[in-house]
């Protein structure tokens, strides 16, 4: 198997894993334990990211890289990554799970995949990075698809759909801002080029910061401790741990795919999670086949591909 084929297969795995992760988190969020607790997605996010940290930490223990993850906090780039983690994990992930709760997983996932395009626009405005006409067209198409998806929802949707769309857009802003902060740090921190750290170490740090923030700030302020205790007592936390494996696989495969086929193709394949979420929701959990959702979901993914994939001539 050549490098490109392996990278594409890993990229497809990313889309599958994140799509299934989103669908299963939506199902877990409907457990009776969370009945009457509006902030239940925050508790769900705590367990998801905590277990994701645990699984990734285990892989780093075997490769003897775990200690290096925490040593990154002593560096400027590591501190910037920690700040980015606060925006991308507690803010982005919490908003995403709230979007799943209020707007259902297929809609939340379809809208969330536009975050690379929004990140590119923010980088253009804040970091003065160039944005080609092709990229601008792709971003416009994906944003149009997202607008149409939320503007005219159809089928079996909850009454809280509008609230869910707002949270989905907040997740997009959080994840896009995370990338901009990292981009700013990599661009302006010049005296740490000697620091060698694997992407998995930054990812481990990201989930660690997320876990600590949820445990000491988000869950206590939301009054979620009693619910969290019930999740542990009933054994529901085991299911969160299993689903979190998908979250860990998503990022680990994505980093490897980016290494093999580049960030553009890796990001584009990652966006297929929106369609996989729709497929899994229909096949496994009986969600109605919504033509409106499927059409505009495809439009959004097509826009991301146009934005992310450089034409061969230009790439050469």
């Amino acid at each position: 198997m050549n490098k490109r084929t392996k990278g594409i297969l890993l990229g497809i795995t990313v889309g599958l894993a994140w799509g299934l992760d989103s669908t299963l988190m939506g199902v877990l969020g409907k457990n009776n334990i969370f009945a009457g607790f509006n902030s239940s997605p925050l508790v769900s996010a705590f367990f998801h990211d905590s277990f994701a940290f645990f699984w990734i930490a285990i892989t780093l223990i075997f490769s003897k890289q775990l200690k290096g993850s925490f040593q990154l906090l002593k560096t400027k780039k590591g501190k910037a990554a920690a700040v980015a983690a606060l925006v991308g994990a507690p803010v982005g992930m919490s908003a995403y799970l709230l979007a799943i709760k209020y707007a259902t997983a297929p809609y939340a996932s379809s809208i969330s995949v536009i975050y690379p395009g929004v990140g590119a626009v923010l980088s253009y405005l804040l970091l003065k990075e160039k944005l080609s006409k092709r990229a601008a067209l792709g971003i416009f198409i994906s944003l149009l698809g997202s607008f149409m998806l939320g503007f005219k929802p159809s089928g079996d949707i909850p009454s809280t759909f509008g609230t869910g769309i707002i949270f989905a857009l907040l997740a997009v802003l959080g994840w896009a801002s995370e990338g901009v902060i990292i981009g700013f740090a990599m661009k302006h921190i010049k005296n740490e080029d000697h620091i060698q750290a694997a992407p998995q170490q930054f990812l481990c740090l990201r989930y660690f910061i997320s876990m600590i923030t949820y445990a000491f700030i988000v869950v206590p302020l939301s009054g979620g401790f009693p619910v969290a205790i019930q999740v542990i007592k009933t054994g529901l936390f085991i299911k969160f741990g299993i689903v979190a494996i998908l979250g860990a696989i998503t990022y680990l495969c994505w980093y490897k795919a980016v290494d093999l086929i580049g960030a553009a193709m890796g990001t584009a394949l990652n966006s297929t999670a929106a369609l996989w979420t729709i497929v899994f929701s229909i096949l496994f959990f009986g969600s109605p086949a919504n033509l409106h959702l499927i059409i505009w979901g495809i439009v959004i993914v097509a826009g991301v591909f146009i934005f992310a994939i450089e034409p061969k001539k230009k790439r050469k």
Side-chain angles (χ1 to χ4, degrees), residues 86-170:
L86 291 173
V87 178
V91 175
M93 188 63 178
S94 297
Y96 181 59
L97 292 179
L98 285 165
I100 289 176
K101 176 181 179 179
Y102 292 122
T104 73
Y107 282 101
S109 180
S110 294
I111 290 177
S112 70
V113 297
I114 68 172
Y115 80 87
V118 175
V121 172
L122 292 177
S123 296
Y124 172 77
L125 295 174
L126 301 177
L127 304 182
K128 307 304 179 183
E129 293 184 357
K130 294 182 179 180
L131 192 64
S132 67
K133 293 180 179 179
R134 173 197 50 76
L137 174 63
I139 292 170
F140 172 77
I141 291 174
S142 62
L143 290 176
L144 174 64
S146 296
F147 173 77
M148 292 303 297
L149 201 62
F151 179 73
K152 190 182 177 182
S154 58
D156 185 17
I157 61 169
S159 59
T160 55
F161 179 80
T163 302
I165 295 302
I166 292 174
F167 278 118
L169 294 174
L170 179 60

